[in-house]
Amino acid sequence: MKTFRKGGVHPPEYKLTAGRPILGMPVPAELRIMLSQSIGAPSRPVVKAGDSVSAGQIIAEAGGFVGAPIHSPVNGTVRKLEPTRTPQGIWQDSIVIATDMGNPGSASDTRRPEDEIMGLTPKEIVSIVGEAGIVGLGGAAFPTRVKLTLPEGKTASTVIINGAECEPCLTCDDALMRAEADKIVAGTLLIMKATGAPEGIIGIEENKPEAIAAMKEAAQEYANIRVEKLKKKYPQGGEKQLIYALTGKTVPAGGLPIETGCIVDNVATAYAIHDAVCNRQNLTERVVTVTGPDLKNPGNFIVRNGTPLSEIIDYAGGLPENTGKVIAGGPMMGRAISTLESSATKGLSGIVVLPKADSQRHKEGPCIRCGRCVAGCPMGLEPYLLMTLADNAMWNDMAAHDALSCLECGCCSYICPASRPILDLIKLGKQELRKKKQK
């Protein structure tokens, strides 16, 4: 079965919401929509306090080439523009919208005529994707318009759609593939047309048999798209790991996937592209997995951008009394949430509520030179060494040992028998290296 070559680990799945249908959340009375929701420059507001807005209307334009516009998820009134805290507690500018609860509205669903869709040029598809504010919905939130704009001299041979969802606990992609396979395949075809790639591959881990069956059925009439079953191994969904598993090609150190002729997008991104091109829908909502062993109503919910995190958790049954930590994303690559008064963004794939017993760090011990972190690293790095170099502020040595190639997947910390905070220190070191690079 197909997989990547180096490293990887096998954490327990904890897919408690696998098989649960996608449900729509109630519309919140107020939304706080942050202006930095993608890699790149924050968006610039084009509305002011007191303005009336309608669902799908642009409220912030892209702040630069690497950026994406933001649209209102509801009909309502702009109450104010003010800083709000991100889930990690960092202040960030936001637009606060009071929902018209009598007529909250929803995303536009005006089907574009079929002949018009078929007649769209690659440049027009990329333009629609950019105007819809679509970013990578697998977690990185890279503006999709930029990804579909090939660098001069580069050509795409393969579009890879990432349905691996190797992160424990999360099932939003699995649920979307089961429910909307046809639209994901249609979105894949649009990406292929936009980039000129003649081939499409949809990679899904073996632990999602229903999703694999649904996607195969949807793709069976297209000779240039195939669905591949992947071995269950973390981090199978990493771009470089997925490219190697499905094509045998290796992305060069410091290079981008296009160096191998591959374009990689998440299944939710392909779905959003279909809706933007075919149904004129801007990206204002997404499927989010809300899960935890003690939640009363865990599930996969359609969440509007700007919805308070506290309301999302309340819809899932409320915060259990024994909660020790709440994570945005999954337990391997997600980040702890410091305030539930923050709100959902385009990049939020899941909320994981952990009890105290499962959220405490074990006591750190000395490195026993077992080499497990080296064996587990999917990039072939030496995590124990990078940690030591970061701990001693040896930034040049970190750079020389290729620290910036670290995926931050957490395999090293997960597999360390001494419970050393390997990834924590590598992340700090990478921040310092980026600062030096910017200077």
Side-chain angles (χ1 to χ4, degrees), residues 161-181:
I161 301 300
N162 184 357
E165 199 167 49
C166 57
E167 181 82 36
C169 301
L170 303 187
T171 60
C172 51
D173 288 348
D174 184 9
L176 193 61
M177 287 187 286
R178 296 185 196 206
E180 302 288 0

Side-chain angles (χ1 to χ4, degrees), residues 179-360:
E180 302 288 0
D182 289 336
K183 290 185 178 181
I184 293 169
V185 169
T188 303
L189 289 166
L190 288 166
I191 298 170
M192 291 165 63
K193 183 174 181 180
T195 59
E199 175 188 43
I201 307 174
I202 301 169
I204 310 172
E205 277 196 336
E206 61 185 317
N207 60 345
K208 304 173 185 64
E210 293 87 355
I212 292 171
M215 293 303 299
K216 282 188 173 181
E217 182 178 354
Q220 64 183 351
E221 64 180 283
Y222 303 102
N224 56 348
I225 296 181
R226 70 179 192 271
V227 178
E228 293 282 1
K229 185 189 297 186
L230 299 166
K231 184 177 180 180
K232 181 168 67 71
K233 184 167 71 165
Y234 179 85
Q236 188 76 261
E239 273 191 337
K240 295 179 180 180
Q241 287 64 41
L242 198 59
I243 289 171
Y244 182 85
L246 293 173
T247 70
K249 298 176 182 178
T250 301
V251 179
L256 297 172
I258 193 60
E259 301 292 335
T260 65
C262 295
I263 300 286
V264 183
D265 272 312
N266 178 264
V267 291
T269 309
Y271 173 77
I273 288 172
H274 165 272
D275 276 357
V277 174
C278 299
N279 296 336
R280 308 178 196 267
Q281 288 185 8
N282 296 321
L283 182 60
T284 60
E285 60 188 27
R286 63 160 299 156
V287 180
V288 177
T289 297
V290 187
T291 186
D294 297 312
L295 275 180
K296 294 180 181 177
N297 182 38
N300 303 298
F301 308 127
I302 299 175
V303 176
R304 300 193 192 210
N305 189 7
T307 300
L309 300 183
S310 56
E311 291 190 25
I312 299 172
I313 293 175
D314 285 345
Y315 189 64
L319 204 65
E321 290 184 7
N322 67 342
T323 298
K325 183 178 290 186
V326 183
I327 298 171
M332 293 295 284
M333 292 191 73
R335 300 177 67 186
I337 293 173
S338 66
T339 172
L340 294 179
E341 297 311 307
S342 187
S343 56
T345 62
K346 297 178 183 181
L348 182 69
S349 57
I351 297 175
V352 180
V353 181
L354 294 178
K356 291 178 182 178
D358 295 334
S359 58
Q360 303 299 315

Side-chain angles (χ1 to χ4, degrees), residues 234-235 238-241 333 377-379 381 403-410 423 426-427 430:
Y234 179 85
E239 273 191 337
K240 295 179 180 180
Q241 287 64 41
M333 292 191 73
C377 179
M379 293 304 297
L381 305 177
L404 289 176
S405 289
C406 169
L407 300 177
E408 301 184 14
C409 64
L423 182 57
I426 293 176
K427 282 183 176 180
K430 287 179 67 178

